[in-house]
Amino acid sequence: MPVQNKLSISYNWLSVALNLPLFSTFDYKSINSVVIGSRVVVPFGKRTLIGIVINVLERPSIDVSLVREIIEVLDDLPPFSPDWLNLLEFTADYYQRPFGEVVFSVIPAPLRSVSSYRGKKRTSASSVIKSDKSNDCISIVPSSFVDKRESILNEDQERAVNIISLLKEFKSVLLYGITGSGKTEVYLRVARNILHNSSKQILFLIPEINLTPQLEKAVRNSLADIVNDDEIVVMHSKLTMKSKLDVWSRAQNSKARVLLGTRMSIFTPFPNIGLIVIDEEHDTSYKQQNGLRYSARDLGVWRARYLNVPIILGSATPSLETWNNAEIGHYLRIYLRKKAREFSAPNIKLINTKKYRPKNGLTVPLINAIEDRLNKKEQSLVFINRRGYSPVFCCFSCYWISKCTRCTAFTVLHSDAVNKEGKLHCHHCGYCMIVPLSCPECGDQDLRPIGSGTQRVEEALVGLFPNANIVRIDADSTRRKGSTASLLNDVNNGSVDILIGTQMLAKGHDFLRVSLVGVIDSDAMIFCQDFRAPEHLFSQLMQVSGRAGRHLNGGEVLIQTSFPDHMIYKFVIDQNYEDFARYSLNLRSTANLPPYSYQALLSAESENLSTVMDFLHRSKKIIKEKVSLEFDHVSAITCYDPVPSRIVRIADVERAQILVESKHRLLLITFLKIWLKHVNGLVINKKKIRWYIEVDPLEI
Ligand SMILES: Nc1ncnc2c1ncn2[C@@H]1O[C@H](COP(=O)(O)OP(=O)(O)OP(=O)(O)O)[C@@H](O)[C@H]1O
Ligand SMILES: [Zn+2]
């Protein structure tokens, strides 16, 4: 409400969020009324910043004379809607970050920088958002690729589409369908119904940027007769800033009706969402592991509930959290039990590496099976989740092992086929050095690689099958923009015989001619301390197995392991997710682990570990000393002792953490708010110690 000041001018008092690491918002005034959600240019100290109006106040919270006037209201985009602001407010509150910092970390850079609007060549606000067209966000799939055929749904799919299409309000639907059961077709049919019968928009999240072309093609194909090509937009981190801005603007201006994108897309302002789809909902890439550590899947569920629209969570191996939600009736579970096409599920077998010793990662039975597929003119996929040549480089005289000087980690040997020289890389800090000719410790020249990565397996396969067309797909071979898409195109066009790759290949891809999948070295995850490791291993093995025999009969999966009797492989061979989930949930329940409890991880880092540990011990101590005076439910919170992180030192920074846990989510969040305020008070020198909180961490 306008309040008069001494000069009898009626001002509107605005609460404005700024891009600052502070939990407060800031008061400003404006002669004209400003709509909540507008972006404004404001003075801040000697600087000029962009802010977002989040409230109109009756009166300012500080002395009227101190309130400064906004400089400009930006009108290049409509104001952010209240539901978008609510999503961001929830995100900030739940993940314990300042609201301004959260908002400004999710909007495209040009919209948050004053220089975009008031740079040297000052332009009008509207010129930041220039055009709606001519960007890679609109179409990266040539229209000639678009296959106009429509498949006839099978019984399970039809039932799923009918049930979901009838939902007129919020419901979390778990679409639990085995790999290759045609989940995509279900999403698309439901989307078609919504787009056809209403003016609503569809937000479609996928885990992997590399899946975008394939899914984009399916989406354009399926929706071609309902929406225009330019009403379908894609969003992912590899887009140029200009394209991101364009997608954002099309979405916010309601010019887009379908947005297909990776996790960041959850924050796109879409004014009229009618359905949210989260494909491969179990995938860990929905969790951002740095900065704002959010889960796009969990925020998707929140956003759907807030908007009162259905959300489909699709997976062949749902996360145990989601599965549990279905078990207790919070989510509606719909089954797709059969392959969409009439092909049998692949046969999964183990190769005991204690019996068949691998050479360069490959055992004889796997090599024979690859040869057999070559003879049949079918493709083989060799999956090894480790890039580089070998994970360890060692002196066989004194057993020196090459380590990173900046991290507590081994360096990985990478071969450079072009320059014919090897390099040692640290995958944690980027450190890189030329391979020494002799051992730095004893001078001996008997230096050898131990273990295998994708490059070594590739080299071995090229040696074994010189006439085969072999392609390696990992983060190193696909650095060039567009290279993954073109390699994957080659795979489906049939010009590739053997495909070697990391987890980039394991999920979602609908390979037409792959009939054999070989898995190398999956044991590493069995002995990982993280309680989620078995869940991730099981889902990874099921996902990669699901790439075999999608369009061919006789699909086969061979998993090399030294521990064939391990429980997890029993479930994998039986391809029985439900028994695996039952078994795992039972263990989690006994140990009171998620989904039966909620966790947060306080991590701290500094140049030396003792400073970090001391800080964390003090952080724990203040729970009793201070937090308990303000929070009545401290007994509902378990705070474990500080421990050094799994990799203690990365890039010369030492790290440690404290885990806190509660059976009650709300209590945990309330506790964190109070606790972190006191934790912050412990930091005297921000340069000496840095800390952050991660709510619902995926790795502990
Ligand atoms: N009703 C149908 N008739 C014929 N083919 C179908 C049908 N539904 C889907 N398909 C085809 O079956 C293949 C597998 O479908 P899709 O990729 O959607 O499976 P998915 O359930 O997502 O599998 P994954 O979990 O492995 O990603 C695709 O080639 C798809 O075009
Ligand atoms: Zn390093």
Side-chain angles (χ1 to χ4, degrees):
M1 179 192 289
V3 171
Q4 293 196 338
N5 77 351
K6 284 182 201 152
L7 300 171
S8 300
I9 300 174
S10 287
Y11 280 112
N12 297 276
W13 306 101
L14 311 172
S15 176
V16 175
L18 298 175
N19 188 8
L20 297 169
L22 300 168
F23 278 87
S24 46
T25 52
F26 299 85
D27 291 358
Y28 284 92
K29 61 186 179 185
S30 164
I31 292 185
N32 301 314
S33 68
V34 182
V35 179
I36 291 177
S38 301
R39 281 174 312 121
V40 288
V41 181
V42 296
F44 185 80
K46 288 185 180 153
R47 296 149 70 194
T48 309
L49 299 176
I50 288 191
I52 295 179
V53 177
I54 56 162
N55 213 348
V56 177
L57 308 166
E58 292 265 336
R59 56 185 51 81
S61 56
I62 53 170
D63 186 340
V64 170
S65 64
L66 298 175
V67 181
R68 298 172 78 180
E69 190 162 355
I70 63 164
I71 298 169
E72 182 179 0
V73 180
L74 299 172
D75 60 359
D76 50 348
L77 281 175
F80 291 116
S81 63
D83 67 73
W84 187 84
L85 289 172
N86 268 314
L87 169 70
L88 274 292
E89 207 170 295
F90 170 78
T91 306
D93 195 59
Y94 187 75
Y95 294 109
Q96 314 284 330
R97 309 291 298 186
F99 177 77
E101 194 185 272
V102 169
V103 175
F104 284 93
S105 71
V106 307
I107 67 179
L111 297 183
R112 48 180 130 113
S113 124
V114 180
S115 59
S116 312
Y117 297 88
R118 304 168 69 83
K120 281 188 192 134
K121 283 191 289 173
R122 182 168 171 175
T123 50
S124 75
S126 58
S127 66
V128 172
I129 311 279
K130 279 192 196 102
S131 73
D132 288 327
K133 290 207 188 320
S134 79
N135 277 303
D136 46 352
C137 61
I138 292 176
S139 180
I140 48 174
V141 180
S143 53
S144 57
F145 278 37
V146 173
D147 173 3
K148 296 272 189 299
R149 274 176 301 133
E150 202 175 73
S151 37
I152 299 163
L153 296 184
N154 67 29
E155 218 176 289
D156 277 359
Q157 286 174 314
E158 194 159 326
R159 188 170 158 271
V161 173
N162 289 342
I163 295 174
I164 303 168
S165 298
L166 283 175
L167 298 173
K168 296 289 172 253
E169 49 192 35
F170 167 69
K171 189 80 210 168
S172 287
V173 178
L174 167 60
L175 184 64
Y176 166 55
I178 61 166
T179 53
S181 57
K183 294 182 281 295
T184 317
E185 197 59 38
V186 173
Y187 310 141
L188 293 174
R189 292 298 175 97
V190 176
R192 273 182 72 85
N193 290 343
I194 292 173
L195 293 166
H196 194 255
N197 299 324
S198 70
S199 58
K200 296 210 176 264
Q201 298 157 321
I202 313 285
L203 182 54
F204 191 153
L205 262 58
I206 50 172
E208 259 283 330
I209 191 168
N210 300 314
L211 289 169
T212 334
Q214 184 180 319
L215 270 151
E216 189 187 350
K217 180 179 159 188
V219 170
R220 290 190 188 282
N221 179 21
S222 171
L223 307 178
D225 57 332
I226 302 182
V227 293
N228 295 329
D229 217 37
D230 60 0
E231 289 176 310
I232 300 172
V233 290
V234 293
M235 170 83 108
H236 53 71
S237 58
K238 293 246 170 86
L239 288 186
T240 60
M241 195 41 75
K242 188 167 168 290
S243 302
K244 269 187 206 149
L245 185 61
D246 194 28
V247 174
W248 187 273
S249 125
R250 297 184 71 77
Q252 202 175 340
N253 280 314
S254 294
K255 288 186 180 159
R257 294 202 63 201
V258 179
L259 171 59
L260 176 71
T262 48
R263 66 169 178 259
M264 65 201 295
S265 315
I266 194 62
F267 294 115
T268 317
F270 230 15
N272 197 12
I273 293 179
L275 172 73
I276 300 178
V277 177
I278 316 260
D279 188 26
E280 314 284 4
E281 70 81 34
H282 62 276
D283 202 288
T284 51
S285 54
Y286 284 121
K287 180 81 200 290
Q288 174 140 311
Q289 306 281 15
N290 50 34
L292 173 63
R293 292 171 162 78
Y294 65 93
S295 156
R297 179 200 58 208
D298 296 350
L299 289 178
V301 174
W302 190 91
R303 198 171 181 184
R305 181 184 289 121
Y306 185 83
L307 297 171
N308 201 21
V309 299
I311 176 166
I312 311 177
L313 306 167
S315 180
T317 51
S319 64
L320 291 174
E321 280 80 0
T322 298
W323 188 255
N324 186 53
N325 273 322
E327 289 280 287
I328 59 179
H330 286 177
Y331 291 3
L332 171 67
R333 179 169 40 202
I334 303 179
Y335 294 83
L336 301 181
R337 293 190 186 276
K338 285 192 302 218
K339 291 266 178 205
R341 297 181 182 248
E342 291 299 313
F343 301 116
S344 50
N347 200 356
I348 304 183
K349 291 187 207 141
L350 303 181
I351 299 173
N352 186 343
T353 48
K354 285 188 181 143
K355 189 167 162 202
Y356 299 99
R357 289 280 173 198
K359 198 169 161 207
N360 295 318
L362 300 161
T363 57
V364 171
L366 179 57
I367 294 168
N368 290 344
I370 294 173
E371 188 167 18
D372 184 43
R373 301 290 157 169
L374 278 172
N375 293 336
K376 289 185 187 154
K377 304 255 174 294
E378 292 172 2
Q379 287 170 335
S380 301
L381 188 166
V382 178
F383 172 73
I384 170 162
N385 208 9
R386 189 189 287 137
R387 64 192 174 88
Y389 189 86
S390 76
V392 179
F393 189 64
C394 168
C395 167
F396 268 58
S397 175
C398 74
Y399 296 104
W400 164 84
I401 295 178
S402 162
K403 293 189 188 104
C404 178
T405 52
R406 294 155 28 103
C407 309
T408 41
F410 297 139
T411 50
V412 177
L413 178 66
H414 282 247
S415 74
D416 182 338
V418 182
N419 299 318
K420 299 269 176 260
E421 70 176 13
K423 290 222 171 86
L424 294 165
H425 285 241
C426 172
H427 285 187
H428 301 283
C429 74
Y431 166 87
C432 176
M433 63 177 275
I434 291 178
V435 175
L437 294 174
S438 58
C439 173
E441 294 276 314
C442 74
D444 200 292
Q445 293 189 346
D446 190 9
L447 298 174
R448 293 185 229 167
I450 301 179
S452 303
T454 45
Q455 288 181 330
R456 190 172 195 173
V457 173
E458 180 188 23
E459 185 184 86
L461 286 168
V462 168
L464 288 164
F465 305 110
N467 297 322
N469 192 355
I470 299 174
V471 162
R472 170 168 60 88
I473 299 190
D474 58 22
D476 300 313
S477 70
T478 55
R479 287 203 197 286
R480 218 167 23 84
K481 197 177 171 215
S483 55
T484 319
S486 101
L487 286 174
L488 289 170
N489 246 341
D490 293 347
V491 175
N492 270 350
N493 289 341
S495 56
V496 171
D497 301 310
I498 305 172
L499 193 58
I500 304 152
T502 53
Q503 44 83 28
M504 281 172 77
L505 290 185
K507 42 191 151 181
H509 297 287
D510 192 29
F511 295 125
L512 300 176
R513 290 181 49 244
V514 170
S515 61
L516 171 72
V517 166
V519 180
I520 297 180
D521 220 359
S522 63
D523 289 343
M525 263 162 92
I526 290 186
F527 301 103
C528 182
Q529 285 169 2
D530 187 4
F531 73 90
R532 280 196 174 86
E535 178 185 354
H536 293 157
L537 176 59
F538 178 83
S539 97
Q540 192 170 69
L541 290 174
M542 293 312 295
Q543 292 296 328
V544 74
S545 301
R547 301 316 109 197
R550 291 172 79 85
H551 296 263
L552 294 166
N553 263 325
E556 187 180 23
V557 181
L558 298 175
I559 301 173
Q560 296 186 167
T561 171
S562 297
F563 306 94
D565 298 326
H566 195 281
M567 195 66 177
I568 200 155
Y569 291 119
K570 180 183 162 333
F571 297 119
V572 170
I573 292 172
D574 293 345
Q575 304 182 46
N576 193 334
Y577 168 81
E578 291 177 48
D579 278 358
F580 169 78
R582 202 166 297 124
Y583 169 80
S584 308
L585 282 173
N586 208 0
L587 291 181
R588 298 265 186 104
S589 161
T590 312
N592 199 24
L593 287 166
Y596 303 101
S597 65
Y598 299 92
Q599 299 180 325
L601 201 59
L602 174 67
S603 302
E605 44 186 54
S606 173
E607 271 164 24
N608 71 64
L609 190 59
S610 62
T611 311
V612 182
M613 292 299 278
D614 176 57
F615 170 76
L616 290 177
H617 278 294
R618 284 187 292 131
S619 299
K620 181 170 177 178
K621 228 165 128 199
I622 51 168
I623 296 178
K624 207 169 174 186
E625 288 172 0
K626 294 193 174 160
V627 180
S628 60
L629 307 178
E630 294 173 52
F631 180 65
D632 293 338
H633 304 279
V634 165
S635 59
I637 310 288
T638 307
C639 178
Y640 293 93
D641 283 336
V643 286
S645 304
R646 196 167 49 84
I647 301 172
V648 178
R649 184 162 37 87
I650 293 183
D652 286 330
V653 173
E654 314 238 291
R655 305 139 71 241
Q657 61 194 40
I658 290 186
L659 180 70
V660 284
E661 200 175 81
S662 175
K663 275 186 117 29
H664 309 278
R665 181 175 248 168
L666 210 66
L667 286 183
L668 179 66
I669 298 299
T670 317
F671 161 79
L672 288 177
K673 214 160 282 165
I674 300 167
W675 184 41
L676 297 181
K677 188 180 68 186
H678 292 294
V679 168
N680 202 31
L682 294 175
V683 180
I684 295 153
N685 183 348
K686 282 197 174 143
K687 281 199 184 126
K688 215 168 158 205
I689 190 126
R690 288 171 304 280
W691 65 269
Y692 61 85
I693 192 80
E694 181 167 7
V695 181
D696 303 331
L698 274 190
E699 274 174 42
I700 57 171

